[in-house]
Structures are given as C-alpha cells and as structure tokens.
Amino acid sequence: MLDLNFIRKHPEEVKKAAQGKHEKVDVDRLLVLDSNRRELLFQCEQLRKEQNEASKTISQLKKQGQDTSSLVAETKVLSDRIRDYEEKLRALEPEIEGILLRIPNIPAQDVPPGEDASANIVVRSWGQRRKFRFKPKPHWELGTALGLIDFERGSKVSGAAFPLYRGLGARMERALINFMLDLHTKKHGYEEVFPPFLVNRASMTGTGQLPKLEEDMYKTTEDDLFLIPTAEVPVTNIHRDEILSCKDLPLYYTAYTACFRREAGAYGKDTRGIIRVHQFDKVELVKFVRPETSYEELESLLKDAEEVLQLLGLEYRVVKLCVGDLSFASSKCYDLEAWAPGVERWLEVSSCSNFEDFQARRINIRFRDEQGKVKCVHTLNGSGVALPRTLIAILEGYQQEDGSVGVPEALRPYMDGLAVIKA
RNA sequence: GGAGAGAUGCCGGAGCGGUUGAACGGGGCGGUCUCGAAAACCGCUGUCCGCGUAAGCGGACCGGGGGUUCGAAUCCCUCUCUCUCCGCCA
C-alpha cells in the first residue's frame, strides 16, 4: 500500500507506475473520495467536539443536582447528526480502501523500462556451460528411470502436477532443504523459523496476495484459511502490527515451507516434469531492515541466494526485472535463473525483491528510531532457493551418458557421502 | 466437540456508565547526589487520523466489529484469540 499522502502529492507518478505494471487503478476517483472523506471527517469531528463539551456540562450539572433535560434533548439531536456523518464515512471507506489496496508499488529509479520479460536485463552470469558428448535428457526421463520421481502415482494420489518424490529423490529433496537452511543460518546469519502452512485472510492481504490473486490460492472455505503460496506470507506477517526497536533491526529470517499454487492461469504451460507444480518446497529468505539500508540489503540477499547455486555448481544468471515484469508489491526485483540443459531453458529458481515500505505500511510493521520517531521498516524477500527447478538443474546438469546422475559435492554430506545416483 | 474463565498502555495490574489516555507497581529515558556505580529522590514515558510551514488545536483508540445511551474501558450482541476442565486424537 502506498502512503495516501504521497498519492495526494504525486498522483501522476502513481498513475505512471500503475500503467507500467499493467494495473488498472482509478487514482482520480481515489483523490475525489479522499477529499470527500476528509471534508466529512472534519465536520464530524467538529460535532463530536460539541458533543464532548455538552456531555461534560451535563455531568457537572447532574452533580450539582440541576435539571439537565433540555440540554440532554439538544445533545440527542447532535448525537443523531454525528451518526449521520459516521454512516456516510463508513460508506466511503471500503471503496477508498479497495482502490488503495489495488495500487501497485512504484518501481525504483534504476528499474529498466519495458513491457514484459523480454525487456529484462541480464546483470551477470556465473558458471561454465557444460559441453555434452551426448544429448542430455530432460529431468522427467532421468527422474523416472532412476526412480526418483513418480509422476503417475503422484497424480493418482492428488492430481496432475503433484509429483511424488521417492527413494533418493525424496532424500535429495531433504538434503537440499537442509543444505540451504544450514548455509543461511550458519553462514549468512538468518534465524530459522518454521511457520504455519495455512494462514488467515489478514496475513494474505498483508503481504499483497489478496485481494488480487484469490483465484490462484488453495483455500479452506470452512475456516477461511489459505494454503501459503510462499513462506513470504507467514514469515513477513510475523511482525504484523508491531513497532520494533531500532536495536532489533535488521532482522533476517529463513524458513523452509511447502508452497501451494493453483496456477489457475497457467493450464497447458510446462505440463511435463516438475517445472510448474501445485505443491513444491522452498527455502525462503526474509528481511526487515531500516529504510536507508534496503537496497544494500537487497544486494546481499541476492548474494546469499546466489551462493546456494554456486555451491551446487549450477550455471545461472542474474536478471533484473523491467517495470512491466515487476510484481505488484515490489520496487525492484532480481530473478535467479539456473540453466537446465535437458529442457534447454533458463529456469527461474529465485526472485529477490525489495518492497521498500509497501508491505510494511500495509501490515503495519514499524520501528522506533534513535530519536523515538516511528517509521515503517522496509521488507525484502527472496527464494534461497525454490527446490523443483533446482532439482531439475541438478538432474539435467549432472547427468552422465549411462543415465546416472552425479551428486553435487555440497549435498554429499547430506546424503551419506553418496556421489552418484545409479539405476 | 462439550462446560467455564478471561483479553486494559513496554510489562504486571486497578477501574460505582459522567474531567479515565486511563489509579498503583515494575521497566525504560532524563536529572539531582557520587570519583564512578548502586540506593534514594524528582521529572518524563503511547499510537493513529484531521487542520496547520510550525508551535499548536481537535478527534479516535482499553482484543475486532456492531448496538443501547446526552455520555461506554465500564451495559448488550457478535466474532477472534488465550486459559482451565471433560471428550477425541498425531
């Protein structure tokens, strides 16, 4: 959510940002409603003042044993008028709130212009392209042949795009999770948290998934709980409605969670393998920081995620998203894409964003600075990293001509020293 | 799932429907004292919104939302959460 004050002062900037992100919002309508609201509020508060004074007088008169009936009658009229105003205000607020919640965050200065992913900029690349002397297979062939992934039984149990990992496949999944959590907690200084996988509506709205993406979420209608599409939701909401001490900042959290996505708009896309699935594992990084440090913090968060891929020996590139590809809530975002030689594609395994104060304002996370002033924190998050596509990059990248797959050195301690997965 | 109790400021904890933004205690901050510290004493200790360049003025807030009333932290309804007991259960 943007600061209403800021929108009042810079409506054109807000409109431009919304347009750049392909969001339709009626900023002019908001400004009209807002000015109506303020007018009503002022009137209402004047009346309340009168009412407060009258009440005080009544109280005093009663103590003196005097008759108050005429003043009470007068104040009754006042009270009714106040009620009128309150009703008008109450009628106005949902629409204001509604528009406000649908206005996207403003891209940072250095975010490149552009309509879609084709305008994104590759900032850097890491690793060497491996030369194969045979045609590398896609992961679904490798995974099935080695008994790591059972697609048929997964869909029997739950449906399409619910892979069942088994044997060393399941083991490698767990190895990856542990490896990443250990790296982020022991080397990068994050606190490990294990949050609930179902969250309430307030949390979903807080981080911006609602109201926009409701149809993309699994939900339990009975209890109005949502299955988290990312750990960002529960972890960022840890500090909802809190005022932190400046001594607490910065806060770094890392969390493993399963993630659930209906992928409602994506039917028919990436149907094979585990590129796009309804349930997947992810290790997430979340930061709460002082505003003036958030862009440095974004760079270091990105590096923390990159290190995962480096230690796994995976070729990847860092992509800076253009305005048109930037998500609703973020000011600036880098994607990490790992190379998958079997499907011959760059796969997005991480997305690292700075939201500035957009989420913090929406969910009320602030801090008290050294002068005692209360300000919004800046929030950041990034995947560190998402598992299925990382697993793809490993299986396809480490495959041998005989159909076996090498285990990245960094994972071996988590897999009883196993170096090769053979049929 | 059944029965009951509760939710107040940074924390603990009061609060006959009428100067209660809220007693009292603790913590924190500032000051006096001290070479320094402790102790003691004094003062301060909220957030949001509106108007205003500011000082300031006004309004709201005692879990959330409604209601009764001239007036609600206090009464009523409802929701959420916490606790105790019973049942069920990984």
Side-chain angles (χ1 to χ4, degrees):
Chain A
M1 189 162 71
L2 292 176
D3 183 5
L4 189 51
N5 237 315
F6 177 88
I7 302 174
R8 282 179 203 140
K9 286 182 193 142
H10 310 277
E12 294 312 314
E13 207 173 317
V14 173
K15 287 183 205 171
K16 194 182 147 211
Q19 201 176 12
K21 285 188 168 183
H22 314 295
E23 297 285 347
K24 284 205 183 75
V25 285
D26 197 341
V27 176
D28 293 324
R29 170 93 181 137
L30 175 68
L31 293 176
V32 170
L33 292 171
D34 173 52
S35 107
N36 288 348
R37 191 188 76 96
R38 277 187 293 168
E39 176 62 29
L40 286 171
L41 192 61
F42 185 76
Q43 306 276 349
C44 186
E45 284 180 356
Q46 292 301 311
L47 293 176
R48 279 212 191 104
K49 185 185 174 189
E50 278 181 50
Q51 186 191 42
N52 286 343
E53 281 161 1
S55 282
K56 213 171 271 184
T57 310
I58 291 169
S59 161
Q60 280 162 0
L61 289 177
K62 278 206 164 175
K63 271 184 192 156
Q64 293 162 19
Q66 297 187 36
D67 175 56
T68 56
S69 54
S70 71
L71 188 52
V72 166
E74 267 174 55
T75 315
K76 167 82 178 148
V77 176
L78 204 55
S79 166
D80 289 340
R81 286 179 63 200
I82 290 172
R83 210 162 292 224
D84 270 4
Y85 274 104
E86 282 173 343
E87 249 165 63
K88 283 182 195 158
L89 278 167
R90 221 179 290 170
L92 219 47
E93 267 149 15
E95 199 185 347
I96 293 177
E97 188 77 353
I99 297 177
L100 216 44
L101 285 179
R102 282 163 212 273
I103 295 178
N105 199 1
I106 293 173
Q109 295 276 318
D110 62 332
V111 171
E115 284 302 306
D116 53 45
S118 65
N120 293 345
I121 291 170
V122 176
V123 208
R124 61 176 170 269
S125 301
W126 186 93
Q128 286 272 304
R129 180 67 50 94
R130 180 180 161 196
K131 294 207 169 57
F132 286 88
R133 289 187 305 178
F134 59 97
K135 180 155 173 55
K137 293 177 187 152
H139 62 279
W140 54 84
E141 286 181 24
L142 294 161
T144 306
L146 293 172
L148 308 179
I149 312 172
D150 189 335
F151 291 100
E152 285 177 20
R153 292 201 176 88
S155 50
K156 173 166 72 181
V157 172
S158 298
F162 283 98
L164 166 69
Y165 298 106
R166 56 195 303 167
L168 287 172
R171 182 65 191 269
M172 187 177 270
E173 189 78 359
R174 179 157 61 90
L176 279 164
I177 293 165
N178 286 335
F179 158 67
M180 291 179 200
L181 286 174
D182 282 349
L183 178 68
H184 298 313
T185 54
K186 291 179 186 166
K187 187 164 174 196
H188 300 148
Y190 292 74
E191 181 188 345
E192 182 173 350
V193 290
F194 201 121
F197 292 1
L198 277 83
V199 299
N200 57 30
R201 184 170 284 274
S203 292
M204 255 337 171
T205 307
T207 30
Q209 281 73 21
L210 293 180
K212 214 191 133 193
L213 301 170
E214 182 147 4
E215 71 287 351
D216 206 38
M217 230 91 63
Y218 288 104
K219 62 186 275 194
T220 65
T221 48
E222 196 84 342
D223 303 295
D224 207 32
L225 292 172
F226 297 83
L227 279 77
I228 55 171
T230 161
E232 167 194 349
V233 178
V235 177
T236 307
N237 275 283
I238 288 174
H239 294 296
R240 168 150 49 93
D241 294 322
E242 288 185 21
I243 298 176
L244 303 164
S245 159
C246 57
K247 291 174 204 147
D248 298 335
L249 298 178
L251 284 168
Y252 295 176
Y253 293 113
T254 185
Y256 154 73
T257 70
C259 301
F260 306 89
R261 299 186 182 179
R262 293 189 62 229
E263 301 287 354
Y267 290 121
K269 233 184 191 177
D270 304 320
T271 48
R272 296 208 76 175
I274 54 171
I275 295 178
R276 192 174 295 273
V277 289
H278 290 314
Q279 178 189 319
F280 63 94
D281 294 311
K282 180 155 64 68
V283 170
E284 185 75 0
L285 306 170
V286 176
K287 289 184 174 184
F288 301 84
V289 308
R290 300 181 67 114
E292 62 274 17
T293 64
S294 67
Y295 281 97
E296 298 159 37
E297 292 282 5
L298 176 62
E299 296 301 320
S300 75
L301 181 108
L302 176 66
K303 289 226 158 59
D304 295 338
E306 281 185 69
E307 193 170 346
V308 172
L309 301 178
Q310 290 171 6
L311 290 170
L312 291 173
L314 298 175
E315 182 194 353
Y316 70 89
R317 60 182 193 180
V318 180
V319 177
K320 192 198 238 182
L321 299 197
C322 75
V323 171
D325 207 24
L326 210 55
S327 76
F328 180 78
S330 70
S331 296
K332 183 175 176 179
C333 176
Y334 294 105
D335 278 358
L336 291 180
E337 299 180 339
W339 178 250
V343 293
E344 294 182 279
R345 277 173 63 180
W346 291 103
L347 299 177
E348 181 189 327
V349 295
S350 175
S351 203
C352 301
S353 304
N354 182 2
F355 302 99
E356 296 198 2
D357 59 7
F358 188 84
Q359 283 181 331
R361 180 167 308 104
R362 201 165 164 129
I363 69 178
N364 224 0
I365 307 178
R366 293 166 296 165
F367 75 102
R368 207 179 295 276
D369 72 10
E370 283 77 0
Q371 283 74 45
K373 272 196 72 176
V374 174
K375 297 174 180 164
C376 282
V377 301
H378 280 196
T379 58
L380 301 95
N381 68 54
S383 344
V385 298
L387 287 244
R389 295 174 186 173
T390 303
L391 186 65
I392 293 172
I394 292 170
L395 295 180
E396 296 185 0
Y398 280 84
Q399 65 178 295
Q400 305 300 322
E401 193 158 12
D402 63 1
S404 66
V405 169
V407 176
E409 208 136 344
L411 288 186
R412 290 181 197 169
Y414 297 90
M415 297 186 68
D416 296 328
L418 186 73
V420 183
I421 299 174
K422 293 180 190 144

